[in-house]
Amino acid sequence: MAERLASIFGTEKDKINCPFYFKIGACRHGERCSRLHNKPAISQTIVIFNMYKNPAAQIANVDGQTLEIDEKENQQQFEDFYEDVFDELSRFGEVEEMNVCDNFGDHLAGNVYCKYYADDDAQKSQTNLHNRFYAGRPLVVEFSPVTDFREARCRQFDAGECSRGGYCNFMHLRQINRDLGYALFGSKYRRRYRRSRSSSRDRYYYDDRDRERDRYRDKDRDYDRDRHRDRDRSRDRHHNKDDRDKDRDRNRDKDRSRDRHHNKDDRDRNRDRDRSRDRHHNKDDRDKMERDRNHHHNRDDRDKMERDRNHHNNKDDRDKAERDRNHHNNKDDRDK
């Protein structure tokens, strides 16, 4: 009994669990579905409901026919959206696969499925995107039971034969160009791209597309080799430019440091020269002052000596005159 229940789980024979929700993570009946929607407590895959607004679905007229739109511009806008969302989601962990639904039904329209390599990264992404907004609309993020998109995608759509169009209940996954895929996922995108294309060929156009693949395999290999060579050359040029910039910055810093050192040496040398010159000038000034003082003292001494000599001479003259007068007087007295 347990083996039988396990074998029919998630299939049309399972009358309890919804097979559509198990396969694609969404159901057109929503909460009104008669079967259970077992939402996982944790998963590698998160789904952001109705995040991408397909212009073809928005401009559908009353008759249900879509108006003419510029497919090239529409694809460019989608790839810009895809790259923007991928850059944000890859911040929380390594992304294994990211798919965007191109359906028109409300339960699938614009759903973004992101599968991480680790459950913890998916949980981190779901937690951080809670209460976030995109283009003015709140994001509704849940864990999804979908881990293998080969069962969820519409094989007829991949083969270009889906008769239900955008209202199909299986995923119509919109593709990005291979260059963008290689830029975002690297070599992992090449393996997944070939695997997804081959899975859709198993029932439809297998022989024709297999022959076409064999015919263009060498051409794709040459294209990949040329692209990798160009990328390596571009990376080498970028690295060489970075090395030149680093060398230039290093030389500039070295020159600045040397100039600062030389300027400091020049300032020290000039300061020492100024100090030596000031000391020499101060010494000359002191010597000059000493000489002037000595000269002044010598002059004063000479003046004093001259005064003393004159005074002594004057005294001698007075004494002589006095003696002569006394002698003359004495002589007159004797004669008298």
Side-chain angles (χ1 to χ4, degrees):
M1 185 65 180
E3 293 179 358
R4 180 178 179 279
L5 292 177
S7 63
I8 66 174
F9 179 79
T11 64
E12 292 294 337
K13 296 180 180 180
D14 190 351
K15 303 301 180 182
I16 299 177
N17 302 294
C18 178
F20 272 99
Y21 184 82
F22 180 75
K23 287 183 179 180
I24 65 177
C27 177
R28 64 188 179 93
H29 299 291
E31 299 297 333
R32 300 189 306 273
C33 184
S34 60
R35 302 182 186 183
L36 294 178
H37 294 170
N38 293 315
K39 298 182 179 180
I42 192 170
S43 173
Q44 289 179 259
T45 307
I46 64 169
V47 55
I48 309 175
F49 293 101
N50 308 122
M51 186 179 185
Y52 172 64
K53 293 299 182 181
N54 188 353
Q58 295 180 9
I59 63 176
N61 59 16
V62 180
D63 297 332
Q65 301 294 328
T66 57
L67 300 178
E68 293 293 333
I69 59 175
D70 188 350
E71 289 296 336
K72 185 176 180 180
E73 181 179 357
N74 187 21
Q75 180 66 19
Q76 182 62 42
Q77 292 177 356
F78 169 73
E79 291 178 356
D80 292 341
F81 164 83
Y82 190 97
E83 186 176 5
D84 186 24
V85 175
F86 179 87
D87 290 341
E88 180 65 22
L89 296 180
S90 61
R91 291 174 52 245
F92 309 111
E94 187 176 3
V95 176
E96 180 179 354
E97 190 172 354
M98 192 179 98
N99 295 303
V100 180
C101 292
D102 204 24
N103 303 67
F104 292 169
D106 293 337
H107 63 297
L108 286 176
N111 288 359
V112 176
Y113 293 84
C114 183
K115 181 182 178 182
Y116 291 90
Y117 281 98
D119 296 344
D120 295 338
D121 296 337
Q123 186 176 15
K124 187 191 305 181
S125 177
Q126 193 269 346
T127 302
N128 282 274
L129 293 178
H130 185 63
N131 291 331
R132 293 277 297 274
F133 287 78
Y134 184 84
R137 294 178 287 107
L139 300 181
V140 180
V141 187
E142 294 181 359
F143 290 113
S144 175
V146 181
T147 56
D148 189 357
F149 289 92
R150 290 177 296 180
E151 296 295 329
R153 64 193 306 153
C154 177
R155 294 188 178 90
Q156 293 179 347
F157 173 76
D158 292 339
E161 294 182 346
C162 183
S163 59
R164 303 197 56 169
Y167 295 96
C168 179
N169 288 323
F170 287 92
M171 292 184 184
H172 288 187
L173 300 181
R174 187 156 187 171
Q175 301 296 323
I176 58 176
N177 67 72
R178 285 191 292 178
D179 291 338
L180 178 59
Y182 295 153
L184 298 180
F185 295 95
S187 59
K188 301 172 185 177
Y189 179 80
R190 183 184 299 108
R191 294 194 297 269
R192 187 174 70 251
Y193 175 81
R194 291 176 178 174
R195 185 174 63 250
S196 63
R197 301 297 289 179
S198 62
S199 64
S200 64
R201 289 197 300 264
D202 290 341
R203 290 185 187 176
Y204 311 98
Y205 310 119
Y206 179 80
D207 294 335
D208 295 339
R209 293 197 176 186
D210 193 44
R211 285 193 296 270
E212 183 179 356
R213 182 197 62 191
D214 294 338
R215 195 163 49 244
Y216 289 101
R217 179 178 295 169
D218 294 336
K219 181 178 179 181
D220 291 339
R221 187 182 300 112
D222 293 339
Y223 170 78
D224 293 338
R225 185 178 62 250
D226 294 339
R227 185 175 55 81
H228 291 159
R229 185 179 62 247
D230 294 339
R231 184 179 59 191
D232 293 338
R233 289 177 177 175
S234 177
R235 184 174 60 248
D236 293 338
R237 285 195 299 270
H238 181 69
H239 288 171
N240 292 333
K241 183 178 182 299
D242 290 341
D243 293 338
R244 288 195 300 271
D245 293 339
K246 289 180 181 178
D247 292 337
R248 186 176 62 249
D249 295 338
R250 191 181 303 109
N251 292 331
R252 185 176 61 244
D253 295 337
K254 188 187 302 180
D255 293 338
R256 289 177 177 175
S257 177
R258 186 173 59 250
D259 292 339
R260 286 195 299 269
H261 182 70
H262 288 173
N263 292 333
K264 183 176 182 300
D265 291 341
D266 292 338
R267 288 196 302 271
D268 294 340
R269 194 180 303 108
N270 292 332
R271 185 176 60 248
D272 294 338
R273 187 174 58 247
D274 293 338
R275 289 177 178 176
S276 177
R277 186 175 58 249
D278 293 338
R279 284 195 300 269
H280 182 69
H281 288 172
N282 292 332
K283 183 180 179 182
D284 291 340
D285 293 338
R286 287 194 302 272
D287 293 340
K288 184 179 179 181
M289 291 176 63
E290 184 68 22
R291 288 194 302 272
D292 292 341
R293 186 167 55 251
N294 293 333
H295 177 70
H296 181 70
H297 288 171
N298 293 332
R299 183 179 178 185
D300 291 340
D301 292 339
R302 286 195 301 273
D303 292 341
K304 184 177 179 182
M305 291 176 64
E306 184 69 23
R307 286 195 302 274
D308 293 340
R309 187 169 54 252
N310 293 333
H311 177 71
H312 183 70
N313 292 334
N314 291 332
K315 184 178 179 181
D316 291 340
D317 291 339
R318 286 195 301 273
D319 292 340
K320 184 180 180 181
E322 183 67 24
R323 285 194 303 271
D324 292 339
R325 188 171 51 254
N326 292 332
H327 177 71
H328 183 69
N329 291 333
N330 291 330
K331 184 180 180 182
D332 290 339
D333 290 336
R334 284 194 303 273
D335 294 335
K336 185 178 178 182

